[in-house]
């Protein structure tokens, strides 16, 4: 394979300590990476999205300076062992077991991106304790309904063909670099040529790193038959939603609707970006997380909670793109200079 494209965040990444470890969860090996200082007083457990691996969240991890960030490869992706069945209950059981195996407590912030937002929301709804739940590019509405239904139907056809073809042909289709590039182009909104080259290279390298055909097909089915709103009524912890102004998968009005259904939520909308906040605007995402970690219950004794309700009402009423313009635009220069 050709040499990797240099990351726009290379200097920050190079300065961030990282350790690769593995742990047994229900008899299966989960590989995970720990970013930042091992002795940090604050920890974030971050779960990546569909077809990705830990590389997708290392840019946000590097921007969370002074925080220990733990990023596992989801079962069946990257180098982690697959689950017997990749349904939502199995993912919930895995994340609960992983959290316990590392001895993490309720003070650990739990973060999920895209499909990872479904996994972490379902797990918290099932009883995993956390002082703050962070959803980046959350899947806020059903993929099989509304304006995305046609695109979802086409994707279902693609994955179904990958399942029905003989194994070598099916895997070749699922890992087809042309299709991977089309997906990457569709999601990427930045016009920065060097950033675009790097993001495409990341997808080329890691978007097809799944262990077997069954795992990716079952995970896809899980991703389109569940959404965060399904679990909203059972999530009773503070939630930070980091959405994107031009997200083609879940639009801002649907994010606002989800925020209104959650008991305690703040919605931040990052302007001029789509479903790849973790690649295109990691500084904006990390800045929001650090601020919210300081304000979440347990972060500061006696910290006021009123800002949460005010943020939620403002998010529900604000026009598209207004919710986070202040945070994301102020971070943009630092993000590209890092």
């Amino acid at each position: 394979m050709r040499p990797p494209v240099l990351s726009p965040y290379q200097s920050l990444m190079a300065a961030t300590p990282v350790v690769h470890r593995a742990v047994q969860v229900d008899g299966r090996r989960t590989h995970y990476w720990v970013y930042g200082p091992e002795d940090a007083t604050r920890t974030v457990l971050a779960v990546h999205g569909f077809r990705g691996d830990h590389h997708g969240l290392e840019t946000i991890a590097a921007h969370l300076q002074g925080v220990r960030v733990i990023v596992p490869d989801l079962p069946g992706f990257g180098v982690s062992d697959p689950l017997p069945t990749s349904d939502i209950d199995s993912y919930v059981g895995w994340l609960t077991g992983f959290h316990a195996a590392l001895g993490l407590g309720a003070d650990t912030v739990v973060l999920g991106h895209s499909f990872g937002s479904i996994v972490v929301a379902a797990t918290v709804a099932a009883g995993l304790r956390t002082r703050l739940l962070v959803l980046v590019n959350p899947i806020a509405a059903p993929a099989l309904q509304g304006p995305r239904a046609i695109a979802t139907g086409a994707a279902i056809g693609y994955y179904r063909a990958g399942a029905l073809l003989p194994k070598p042909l099916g895997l070749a289709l699922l890992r087809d670099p042309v299709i991977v590039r089309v997906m990457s182009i569709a999601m990427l909104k930045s016009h920065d040529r060097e950033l675009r080259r790097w993001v495409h290279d990341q997808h080329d390298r890691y978007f097809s790193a799944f262990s077997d055909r069954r795992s990716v097909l079952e995970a896809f089915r899980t991703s389109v038959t569940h959404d965060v709103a399904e679990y909203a009524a059972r999530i009773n912890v503070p939630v930070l939603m980091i959405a994107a102004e031009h997200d083609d998968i879940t639009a801002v009005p649907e994010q606002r609707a989800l925020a209104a259904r959650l008991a305690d939520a703040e919605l931040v909308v990052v302007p001029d970006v789509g479903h790849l906040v973790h690649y295109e605007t990691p500084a904006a995402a990390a800045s929001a997380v650090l601020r919210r970690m300081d304000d979440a219950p347990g972060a500061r004794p006696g910290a006021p909670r009123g800002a949460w309700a005010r943020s939620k009402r403002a998010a529900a009423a604000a026009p598209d793109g207004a919710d986070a313009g202040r945070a994301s635009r102020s971070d943009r220069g630092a993000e590209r200079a890092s």
Side-chain angles (χ1 to χ4, degrees):
M1 181 177 279
R2 66 184 183 278
V5 174
L6 189 66
S7 167
Y9 317 105
Q10 181 60 37
S11 60
L12 184 58
M13 289 299 306
T16 303
V18 58
V19 179
H20 174 204
R21 297 194 176 105
V23 66
Q24 294 286 325
V25 180
D26 293 331
R28 293 170 182 82
R29 199 166 183 82
T30 294
H31 290 258
Y32 66 98
W33 285 255
V34 181
Y35 299 87
E38 292 273 12
D39 59 352
T41 59
R42 300 184 294 177
T43 298
V44 173
L45 170 58
V47 179
H48 65 79
F50 176 65
R51 283 191 66 153
D53 66 8
H54 68 280
H55 290 94
L57 291 180
E58 64 183 7
T59 48
I60 289 180
H63 281 83
L64 290 171
Q65 296 185 50
V67 178
R68 180 176 67 144
V69 184
I70 301 170
V71 188
D73 279 350
L74 277 168
F77 295 91
V79 290
S80 289
D81 292 345
L83 295 167
T85 304
S86 297
D87 58 18
I88 194 63
D89 290 338
S90 297
Y91 281 117
V92 168
W94 163 78
L95 185 57
T96 302
F98 179 75
H99 189 276
L102 269 58
L104 303 177
D107 58 333
T108 297
V109 172
V110 177
L111 178 152
H113 171 258
S114 189
F115 175 54
S117 74
I118 300 174
V119 173
V120 298
T123 307
V124 170
L128 184 73
R129 297 180 61 205
T130 179
R131 68 183 179 91
L132 175 66
L133 176 63
V134 180
L135 308 175
V136 182
N137 290 123
I139 308 301
L144 296 173
Q145 300 174 17
R148 289 169 309 285
I150 294 176
T152 302
I156 289 173
Y158 164 68
Y159 283 100
R160 185 170 293 162
L164 294 176
L165 287 169
K167 184 176 179 179
L169 293 176
L171 285 172
L173 176 64
L174 294 172
R175 291 183 167 131
D176 188 315
V178 175
I179 294 176
V180 169
R181 179 56 58 90
V182 169
M183 293 178 183
S184 186
I185 291 171
M187 291 188 288
L188 187 55
K189 304 302 179 184
S190 174
H191 298 292
D192 184 313
R193 180 173 297 180
E194 292 306 308
L195 177 63
R196 291 181 69 88
R197 286 185 64 242
W198 174 71
V199 173
H200 291 327
D201 184 65
Q202 291 286 293
H203 285 143
D204 289 348
R205 290 175 183 278
Y206 307 120
F207 207 60
S208 297
F210 48 86
S211 62
D212 59 84
R213 186 165 55 159
R214 177 192 58 79
S215 292
V216 73
L217 295 172
E218 290 179 352
F220 171 73
R221 188 177 302 115
T222 300
S223 74
V224 298
T225 55
H226 297 279
D227 59 86
V228 176
E230 178 182 342
Y231 307 102
R234 291 184 282 140
I235 295 175
N236 298 308
V237 302
V239 179
L240 170 64
M241 297 172 56
I242 303 176
E245 182 181 12
H246 301 302
D247 195 332
D248 297 319
I249 295 179
T250 305
V252 172
E254 293 166 323
Q255 303 288 5
R256 290 207 188 95
L258 173 59
R261 293 180 62 178
L262 290 162
D264 193 353
E266 177 189 4
L267 173 62
V268 171
V269 177
V270 184
D272 306 324
V273 68
H275 200 65
L276 304 181
V277 162
H278 57 311
Y279 282 142
E280 297 187 67
T281 56
S287 177
V289 173
L290 290 170
R291 171 180 56 79
R292 204 64 265 171
M293 287 174 70
D294 287 339
D295 293 342
R300 298 192 309 241
R305 293 289 302 281
W308 281 92
R310 288 196 298 275
S311 296
K312 182 173 176 179
R313 286 195 296 270
D320 288 4
D323 307 282
R326 216 170 35 249
S328 57
R329 290 187 193 281
S330 65
D331 285 335
R332 187 172 299 148
E335 172 184 311
R336 293 298 291 118
S338 60

